[in-house]
Amino acid sequence: MLSARSLFQEILDDDEAYRLFCSIAASGESQGGWENARIAALVPESHRGLAPRIVRHGADEDKHGRIFNALLKRRGLRPADVPPETDYTMLLEQQGIGLAHSRLRGEERLTERDIITYLAHSRITEQRASEQMGLLRRYFADHPDIGRAVRMISDDEDNHLAYCHEELLRLARQGHGRTIQRIMRECALAEIRVYRDVSLVVMDHMGRLLGWSRPRAAALAAGIRAVYAYERLVGWRRMVSLEMPERRDALGGRAVPEPEYA
């Protein structure tokens, strides 16, 4: 049966597939933590009020990386080498999306346009993260091994998405609405291509680890391409809407330590 629940259960039940899944996730989250920390350090004076929220965002991403590594350790597994073609963040950067790492490694202050780019990019990628974790939460919230981690990360991703909505709406009221919409549209169209490509590569790796038959692998690849076709036609629009979130000031507090996963 080809369902999200059955596919993830199959990954969860196999050590090598689970090892690769958690390693890819940990790498991406840790990378996001570094990016947010650098952005917070380089925020322009005109937007210094954002810095604590960006720091909180980065702290959450770092925490998620530790959680995935802790899940591996709990199973007695070591992190796997992450194939570069599954590096979602770097592939987006190669498409010119978000702030380049070469810029973040420097010491020059970011501009207001850079902050808009960062928030618009985050709005798109956090939509994807929120949806993915929401799906896992739907099926595995009560799982004895991963349930608590799934709930925790899902809550954080929802907070990150709410924060992006609220800050972009604030900037739109200051006269940046057209710029925000243009950047979000560019990001969304690039993101759905990268997400398709990464999904195909990850499923190819999983298929070899799990011994999937050619017809099953082909069916899964066709499903990924069908999702992309839908998103390319109309689905991307959900990524570029802005509305005031129910969770206001979602990143206004301090990051909550989780010693169990540290």
Side-chain angles (χ1 to χ4, degrees):
M1 181 179 179
L2 298 180
S3 70
R5 182 171 190 167
S6 64
L7 285 174
F8 190 76
Q9 186 65 60
E10 195 172 351
I11 292 169
L12 185 61
D13 290 342
D14 182 271
D15 278 352
E16 285 305 308
Y18 183 73
R19 179 175 176 243
L20 179 61
F21 173 85
C22 288
S23 298
I24 292 172
S27 175
E29 296 286 356
S30 297
Q31 193 169 181
W34 176 84
E35 290 172 354
N36 278 277
R38 292 303 303 150
I39 291 168
L42 300 175
V43 164
E45 288 301 323
S46 58
H47 290 278
R48 290 307 297 173
L50 265 179
R53 291 170 175 79
I54 301 173
V55 168
R56 166 70 185 275
H57 190 174
D60 285 347
E61 303 290 3
D62 278 336
K63 178 181 71 177
H64 300 168
R66 293 195 304 273
I67 288 173
F68 283 113
N69 281 320
L71 291 174
L72 285 173
K73 186 176 181 180
R74 187 177 296 174
R75 285 263 291 256
L77 302 172
R78 296 177 60 85
D81 292 333
V82 175
E85 62 271 23
T86 68
D87 192 333
Y88 170 84
T89 302
M90 292 308 298
L91 290 171
L92 282 174
E93 182 182 348
Q94 290 170 14
Q95 296 286 320
I97 301 303
L99 300 177
H101 281 193
S102 59
R103 179 77 184 280
L104 297 181
R105 291 189 188 99
E107 296 302 327
E108 182 182 352
R109 289 284 180 186
L110 300 175
T111 66
E112 183 172 66
R113 174 63 178 271
D114 291 329
I115 295 301
I116 293 171
T117 297
Y118 152 68
L119 287 168
H121 169 250
S122 296
R123 158 73 183 93
I124 306 306
T125 56
E126 294 298 341
Q127 177 80 38
R128 183 72 72 184
S130 177
E131 290 173 353
Q132 288 182 320
M133 293 309 303
L135 185 65
L136 288 178
R137 185 171 190 153
R138 177 180 175 186
Y139 296 126
F140 296 98
D142 297 324
H143 191 280
D145 295 328
I146 66 168
R148 183 167 177 264
V150 165
R151 295 192 305 272
M152 187 186 306
I153 297 174
S154 180
D155 281 342
D156 286 346
E157 302 297 5
D158 290 347
N159 283 337
H160 300 167
L161 183 57
Y163 149 77
C164 292
H165 274 272
E166 190 169 4
E167 295 301 333
L168 286 169
L169 284 170
R170 179 180 60 80
L171 288 166
R173 289 194 297 270
Q174 295 176 4
H176 300 289
R178 288 188 177 182
T179 300
I180 290 168
Q181 284 297 322
R182 181 175 57 78
I183 295 174
M184 285 199 301
R185 186 179 188 277
E186 291 173 357
C187 286
L189 293 176
E191 192 279 342
I192 63 174
R193 289 194 303 271
V194 169
Y195 181 71
R196 173 202 60 191
D197 294 344
V198 169
S199 296
L200 287 169
V201 172
V202 170
M203 285 300 103
D204 180 62
H205 280 281
M206 292 299 178
R208 284 187 273 113
L209 288 172
L210 295 168
W212 290 343
S213 66
R214 284 189 178 182
R216 188 178 192 207
L220 288 168
I224 291 169
R225 292 190 176 94
V227 169
Y228 168 74
Y230 166 76
E231 291 196 327
R232 183 64 181 82
L233 184 64
V234 294
W236 63 272
R237 297 181 186 277
R238 79 190 188 285
M239 294 179 158
V240 301
S241 64
L242 290 175
E243 58 185 28
M244 189 56 70
E246 292 183 8
R247 301 183 183 199
R248 302 292 294 273
D249 196 22
L251 297 187
R254 293 173 59 85
V256 178
E258 295 293 340
E260 178 181 343
Y261 292 110

